[in-house]
Amino acid sequence: MEQQYIPGKNLFNRTALGIESVAETLIKPFQEFFKTQAMGGILLLGAAMAAIIFANSPAREAYQGLWETVITISIGNITLSKDLLHWINDG
């Protein structure tokens, strides 16, 4: 069924006019990918591979330093300070 252009009603409706921006064209495949069930596994696998490569590269000292970065949360007199590795492991 073909959509008709109705003056006044469809003036700013890009879909009804058949116009699609470059950004919409580029974003659509990513939106479809993130809707799939495999997306979480693929992202996790990619992150694990990146971490292994980074940890075994000449930049391994920076990688180790990243995990030793201290993060502190303070509310009044109460302070909680741990390194990034402990924040992640403790949830």
Side-chain angles (χ1 to χ4, degrees):
M1 179 176 171
E2 188 175 320
Q3 291 184 351
Q4 286 186 323
Y5 173 73
I6 302 169
K9 183 176 181 185
N10 302 73
L11 187 59
F12 298 105
N13 188 341
R14 298 171 66 83
T15 306
L17 295 174
I19 301 170
E20 195 169 346
S21 72
V22 174
E24 290 168 335
T25 304
L26 294 174
I27 291 173
K28 221 177 252 187
F30 290 103
Q31 289 174 332
E32 292 301 318
F33 170 73
F34 287 117
K35 288 180 184 176
T36 65
Q37 293 180 355
M39 179 267 315
I42 292 170
L43 290 178
L44 184 60
L45 182 62
M49 288 174 56
I52 290 170
I53 291 168
F54 191 40
N56 291 300
S57 72
R60 68 179 151 261
E61 291 177 12
Y63 180 79
Q64 187 64 32
L66 173 71
W67 294 115
E68 294 171 356
T69 302
V70 176
I71 299 173
T72 303
I73 296 176
S74 296
I75 301 174
N77 292 335
I78 302 169
T79 302
L80 185 58
S81 184
K82 295 182 178 187
D83 60 26
L84 181 60
L85 182 63
H86 283 103
W87 279 110
I88 292 172
N89 286 338
D90 291 346

